[in-house]
Amino acid sequence: MTATPRTYWLEHAWLGTLPQALGSARAGGTPIEPGVAVEVRDGRITAVRAGTPAPPPGAEILRGLTLPGLANAHSHAFHRALRSTVQVGSGTFWTWRETMYTTAGRLTPDTYHALARATYAEMALAGVTAVGEFHYVHHAPGGTPYADPNAMGEALIEAAAEAGIRITLLDTAYLSSGFGQPPTAHQLRFSDGDADAWATRCSVLKERDHARIGAAVHSVRAVPAEQLATVARWAEERRAPLHVHLSEQTAENDACREAHGCTPAQLLALHGVLGPRTTGVHNTHLTAEDIALIGGSGTGTCMCPTTERDLADGIGPAAALQNEGSPLSLGSDSHAVIDLLEEARAMELDERLRTRTRGHWTAAALLRAATVDGHAALGWDDTGTIEAGARADLVTIALDSVRTAGPLPGLGAETAVFAATAADVRHTVVAGRHVVRDGAHTLVPDVPGALAQAVEALRA
């Protein structure tokens, strides 16, 4: 955070003030403002002056297209160690999960800190200013708590601070391997035994300037139905975000119907889990009734298209959910890639493949999912816009790279969403502080080296 007043001059800016687009992209291009001065003090924007054709004296110049900081609403940081290694051979989500469990079994607080710090630094390089960490590796292998029962969560919070981004630690209840089944050997380190013990442990976690504490139900198969209300109540009492993996796999839906006679979405509704502070992650295999239930309750939807396609999960009904009232956010989940622009693009392109029609969201609507609605899903309601009073989180995308050169600057939003990649992020500013400057991380000097070292440590 910067206490000294500072001015940023944005060569081009998407101010993100247009109303949310619920469906059709036929409205045309997305307005881009040339020449915008943004004044910052104490980590917040104090003034925004459009129509400023030249940088004011002393201003820091951000050339390219500047957006609000991006929110990565769903992350499992340790999955970054799986990149490429899980692309050998074939299989399903369930065979991929066995490889994931092996990696999870090797984590310690120190190795997790190193891997998360490097992963979050990679996110900053991709323009991410806040991450929702869906955290369930709580204890030592075998399930024995560490001396500090929250050592793993604290490692993640500290890693985010060192990487210069905000974090919402979504402390996750993970208590069973399936309906009526105890945890497997791999899952023992995820489990607190029951939801009351989970609540007692995570109640000790403290929020910080850069960190919020939320809750998560891993899935309906991982939390017994009679204990769902305990997790929901914990979040309700704290007005904290609550996330849940929902209907990612048809096998989970089938097992839920066999055990409870209803879909996972219906089971969550029966036990008070759905609502405006709740986000369902994936929401892939839903009935029409599920879609109406999720949208009607104001429950959000976090789509993770690069992971959903990587794991062969399927294409979720994002457009239908949003049209029913479910706000959309985006996440990189398993980190097959870390690129929120690709997540936004993929959501639209997947829907085109599914429907064989084009233009389901405007560029503005996709950017909204990646910014203000993503931050809101993580409990950062004052973040994700470029306006007075908002937190001063900015990301600047080059408009002169081999991917982005050519289109008029007025099509900057369309260029960002449909052509740019994380490699085009030039600057990332968090709370008014440059975390990425000219494509280089200012706090973690060698991010590729840090990633390689952290991943190698888990192979040893």
Coordinates of all heavy atoms in Angstrom, one line a residue, residues 93-134:
F93 N -11.2 -37.7 -15.1 CA -11.0 -36.9 -13.9 C -10.6 -37.8 -12.7 O -9.7 -37.4 -11.9 CB -12.4 -36.2 -13.5 CG -12.4 -35.6 -12.1 CD1 -11.9 -34.3 -11.9 CD2 -12.9 -36.3 -11.0 CE1 -11.9 -33.8 -10.6 CE2 -12.9 -35.8 -9.8 CZ -12.4 -34.5 -9.6
W94 N -11.1 -38.9 -12.6 CA -10.9 -39.8 -11.4 C -9.5 -40.4 -11.5 O -8.8 -40.5 -10.4 CB -11.9 -40.9 -11.4 CG -13.3 -40.3 -11.4 CD1 -14.2 -40.2 -12.4 CD2 -14.0 -39.6 -10.3 NE1 -15.3 -39.6 -12.1 CE2 -15.2 -39.2 -10.8 CE3 -13.6 -39.3 -9.0 CZ2 -16.1 -38.5 -9.9 CZ3 -14.5 -38.6 -8.2 CH2 -15.7 -38.2 -8.7
T95 N -8.9 -40.7 -12.7 CA -7.5 -41.1 -12.7 C -6.6 -39.9 -12.5 O -5.5 -40.1 -11.9 CB -7.3 -41.8 -14.1 OG1 -7.6 -40.9 -15.2 CG2 -8.1 -43.1 -14.2
W96 N -6.9 -38.8 -13.0 CA -6.1 -37.6 -12.8 C -6.1 -37.3 -11.3 O -5.0 -36.9 -10.7 CB -6.8 -36.4 -13.5 CG -6.2 -35.0 -13.1 CD1 -5.2 -34.4 -13.6 CD2 -6.7 -34.2 -12.0 NE1 -5.0 -33.2 -13.0 CE2 -5.9 -33.1 -12.0 CE3 -7.7 -34.3 -11.1 CZ2 -6.1 -32.0 -11.0 CZ3 -7.9 -33.3 -10.2 CH2 -7.1 -32.2 -10.1
R97 N -7.2 -37.6 -10.6 CA -7.2 -37.3 -9.1 C -6.2 -38.1 -8.4 O -5.6 -37.6 -7.4 CB -8.6 -37.6 -8.6 CG -8.8 -37.1 -7.2 CD -10.2 -37.3 -6.7 NE -10.6 -38.7 -6.5 CZ -11.6 -39.1 -5.7 NH1 -12.4 -38.2 -5.1 NH2 -11.8 -40.3 -5.6
E98 N -5.9 -39.3 -8.8 CA -4.9 -40.1 -8.1 C -3.5 -39.5 -8.2 O -2.7 -39.5 -7.2 CB -4.9 -41.5 -8.7 CG -6.1 -42.3 -8.4 CD -6.5 -42.4 -6.9 OE1 -5.6 -42.7 -6.1 OE2 -7.6 -42.1 -6.6
T99 N -3.2 -38.9 -9.3 CA -1.9 -38.2 -9.5 C -1.9 -37.0 -8.6 O -0.9 -36.7 -7.9 CB -1.7 -37.8 -10.9 OG1 -1.7 -39.0 -11.7 CG2 -0.3 -37.1 -11.1
M100 N -3.0 -36.3 -8.5 CA -3.1 -35.1 -7.7 C -2.9 -35.5 -6.2 O -2.2 -34.8 -5.5 CB -4.5 -34.4 -7.9 CG -4.7 -33.2 -7.0 SD -5.5 -33.6 -5.4 CE -7.1 -34.0 -5.9
Y101 N -3.5 -36.6 -5.8 CA -3.3 -37.0 -4.4 C -1.9 -37.3 -4.0 O -1.4 -37.0 -2.9 CB -4.1 -38.3 -4.1 CG -5.6 -38.1 -3.9 CD1 -6.5 -39.2 -4.1 CD2 -6.2 -36.9 -3.6 CE1 -7.9 -39.0 -3.9 CE2 -7.5 -36.7 -3.4 CZ -8.4 -37.8 -3.6 OH -9.7 -37.7 -3.4
T102 N -1.1 -37.9 -5.0 CA 0.3 -38.1 -4.7 C 1.1 -36.9 -4.5 O 1.9 -36.8 -3.5 CB 0.9 -38.9 -5.9 OG1 0.2 -40.1 -6.1 CG2 2.4 -39.2 -5.7
T103 N 0.8 -35.8 -5.2 CA 1.4 -34.5 -5.0 C 1.0 -33.9 -3.7 O 1.9 -33.4 -3.0 CB 1.1 -33.6 -6.2 OG1 1.6 -34.2 -7.4 CG2 1.8 -32.2 -6.0
A104 N -0.3 -34.0 -3.4 CA -0.7 -33.4 -2.1 C -0.1 -34.1 -1.0 O 0.2 -33.4 0.1 CB -2.3 -33.6 -2.0
G105 N 0.2 -35.4 -1.1 CA 0.8 -36.1 0.0 C 2.2 -35.7 0.3 O 2.8 -36.0 1.4
R106 N 2.9 -35.0 -0.6 CA 4.3 -34.6 -0.4 C 4.4 -33.2 0.2 O 5.5 -32.7 0.5 CB 5.0 -34.6 -1.7 CG 5.2 -36.1 -2.3 CD 5.8 -36.1 -3.6 NE 5.9 -37.4 -4.2 CZ 6.0 -37.7 -5.4 NH1 5.9 -36.8 -6.3 NH2 6.2 -39.0 -5.8
L107 N 3.3 -32.4 0.3 CA 3.4 -31.1 0.7 C 3.7 -31.0 2.2 O 3.2 -31.7 3.0 CB 2.1 -30.4 0.5 CG 1.6 -30.2 -1.0 CD1 0.2 -29.7 -1.0 CD2 2.5 -29.1 -1.7
T108 N 4.5 -30.0 2.6 CA 4.7 -29.5 3.9 C 4.5 -28.0 4.0 O 4.3 -27.4 2.9 CB 6.2 -29.8 4.4 OG1 7.1 -28.9 3.6 CG2 6.6 -31.2 4.1
P109 N 4.3 -27.5 5.2 CA 4.1 -26.0 5.2 C 5.2 -25.2 4.4 O 4.9 -24.3 3.7 CB 4.2 -25.7 6.7 CG 3.6 -26.9 7.3 CD 4.2 -28.0 6.5
D110 N 6.5 -25.7 4.5 CA 7.5 -25.0 3.8 C 7.5 -25.1 2.3 O 7.6 -24.2 1.5 CB 8.9 -25.4 4.3 CG 9.2 -24.9 5.7 OD1 8.6 -23.9 6.2 OD2 10.1 -25.5 6.4
T111 N 7.3 -26.4 1.8 CA 7.2 -26.6 0.4 C 5.9 -26.0 -0.2 O 5.9 -25.5 -1.3 CB 7.3 -28.1 0.0 OG1 6.2 -28.8 0.6 CG2 8.6 -28.7 0.5
Y112 N 4.9 -26.0 0.6 CA 3.6 -25.4 0.1 C 3.8 -23.9 0.0 O 3.3 -23.3 -1.0 CB 2.4 -25.7 1.0 CG 1.1 -25.7 0.3 CD1 1.0 -25.4 -1.1 CD2 -0.1 -25.9 1.0 CE1 -0.2 -25.4 -1.7 CE2 -1.3 -25.9 0.4 CZ -1.4 -25.6 -1.0 OH -2.6 -25.6 -1.6
H113 N 4.4 -23.3 1.0 CA 4.7 -21.8 0.9 C 5.5 -21.5 -0.3 O 5.1 -20.5 -1.1 CB 5.4 -21.4 2.2 CG 5.9 -20.0 2.1 ND1 7.2 -19.6 1.6 CD2 5.3 -18.8 2.4 CE1 7.3 -18.3 1.6 NE2 6.2 -17.8 2.1
A114 N 6.6 -22.2 -0.6 CA 7.4 -21.9 -1.8 C 6.6 -22.1 -3.1 O 6.8 -21.2 -4.0 CB 8.6 -22.8 -1.7
L115 N 5.9 -23.1 -3.2 CA 5.1 -23.4 -4.4 C 4.0 -22.3 -4.6 O 3.8 -21.8 -5.7 CB 4.5 -24.8 -4.4 CG 3.7 -25.1 -5.6 CD1 4.5 -25.0 -6.9 CD2 3.1 -26.5 -5.5
A116 N 3.3 -22.0 -3.5 CA 2.2 -21.0 -3.6 C 2.8 -19.6 -3.9 O 2.2 -18.9 -4.7 CB 1.4 -21.0 -2.3
R117 N 3.9 -19.3 -3.3 CA 4.5 -18.0 -3.5 C 4.8 -17.8 -5.0 O 4.6 -16.8 -5.7 CB 5.8 -17.8 -2.7 CG 6.6 -16.6 -3.0 CD 7.8 -16.5 -2.0 NE 8.7 -15.4 -2.3 CZ 9.7 -15.4 -3.1 NH1 10.0 -16.5 -3.8 NH2 10.5 -14.4 -3.3
A118 N 5.4 -18.9 -5.6 CA 5.8 -18.8 -7.0 C 4.5 -18.8 -7.9 O 4.5 -18.1 -8.9 CB 6.7 -20.0 -7.4
T119 N 3.5 -19.6 -7.5 CA 2.3 -19.7 -8.3 C 1.6 -18.3 -8.3 O 1.0 -17.9 -9.3 CB 1.4 -20.8 -7.8 OG1 2.1 -22.0 -7.9 CG2 0.1 -20.9 -8.6
Y120 N 1.5 -17.7 -7.1 CA 0.8 -16.4 -7.0 C 1.6 -15.4 -7.7 O 1.0 -14.4 -8.3 CB 0.6 -16.1 -5.5 CG -0.3 -17.0 -4.7 CD1 -0.2 -17.1 -3.4 CD2 -1.3 -17.7 -5.4 CE1 -1.0 -17.9 -2.6 CE2 -2.1 -18.6 -4.7 CZ -1.9 -18.7 -3.3 OH -2.8 -19.5 -2.6
A121 N 2.9 -15.5 -7.7 CA 3.7 -14.5 -8.5 C 3.4 -14.7 -10.0 O 3.4 -13.7 -10.8 CB 5.2 -14.7 -8.3
E122 N 3.3 -16.0 -10.5 CA 2.8 -16.2 -11.9 C 1.5 -15.5 -12.1 O 1.3 -15.0 -13.2 CB 2.8 -17.7 -12.2 CG 2.4 -18.0 -13.6 CD 2.3 -19.4 -13.9 OE1 2.6 -20.3 -13.1 OE2 1.9 -19.7 -15.1
M123 N 0.6 -15.6 -11.1 CA -0.7 -15.0 -11.3 C -0.5 -13.5 -11.5 O -1.2 -12.8 -12.3 CB -1.6 -15.3 -10.1 CG -2.1 -16.7 -10.1 SD -3.2 -17.0 -8.7 CE -3.2 -18.8 -8.6
A124 N 0.3 -12.8 -10.6 CA 0.5 -11.4 -10.7 C 1.0 -11.0 -12.1 O 0.6 -10.0 -12.7 CB 1.5 -10.9 -9.6
L125 N 1.9 -11.8 -12.7 CA 2.5 -11.6 -14.0 C 1.3 -11.7 -15.0 O 1.4 -11.1 -16.1 CB 3.6 -12.6 -14.3 CG 4.9 -12.4 -13.6 CD1 5.8 -13.6 -13.9 CD2 5.6 -11.1 -14.0
A126 N 0.3 -12.4 -14.7 CA -0.9 -12.6 -15.6 C -2.0 -11.5 -15.3 O -3.1 -11.6 -15.9 CB -1.4 -14.0 -15.5
G127 N -1.7 -10.6 -14.4 CA -2.7 -9.5 -14.2 C -3.6 -9.8 -13.0 O -4.6 -9.0 -12.8
V128 N -3.4 -10.9 -12.3 CA -4.3 -11.3 -11.2 C -3.9 -10.5 -10.0 O -2.7 -10.5 -9.6 CB -4.2 -12.8 -10.9 CG1 -5.0 -13.1 -9.6 CG2 -4.8 -13.6 -12.1
T129 N -4.9 -9.8 -9.4 CA -4.6 -9.0 -8.1 C -5.2 -9.7 -6.9 O -4.9 -9.2 -5.8 CB -5.0 -7.6 -8.3 OG1 -6.5 -7.6 -8.6 CG2 -4.3 -6.9 -9.4
A130 N -6.1 -10.6 -7.1 CA -6.7 -11.3 -6.0 C -7.0 -12.8 -6.4 O -7.4 -13.0 -7.5 CB -8.0 -10.7 -5.5
V131 N -6.8 -13.7 -5.4 CA -7.0 -15.1 -5.7 C -7.9 -15.7 -4.6 O -7.8 -15.3 -3.4 CB -5.7 -15.9 -5.7 CG1 -4.9 -15.8 -4.4 CG2 -5.9 -17.4 -6.1
G132 N -8.8 -16.6 -5.0 CA -9.6 -17.4 -4.1 C -9.0 -18.7 -3.9 O -9.1 -19.5 -4.9
E133 N -8.3 -19.0 -2.8 CA -7.6 -20.3 -2.7 C -8.5 -21.3 -1.9 O -8.8 -21.1 -0.7 CB -6.3 -20.0 -1.9 CG -5.5 -21.3 -1.7 CD -5.0 -21.9 -3.1 OE1 -4.7 -21.1 -4.0 OE2 -5.0 -23.1 -3.2
F134 N -9.0 -22.3 -2.7 CA -9.9 -23.3 -2.2 C -9.0 -24.3 -1.5 O -8.5 -25.3 -2.1 CB -10.6 -23.9 -3.4 CG -11.9 -24.7 -3.1 CD1 -13.1 -24.1 -3.3 CD2 -11.8 -26.0 -2.6 CE1 -14.3 -24.8 -3.1 CE2 -13.0 -26.7 -2.4 CZ -14.2 -26.1 -2.6

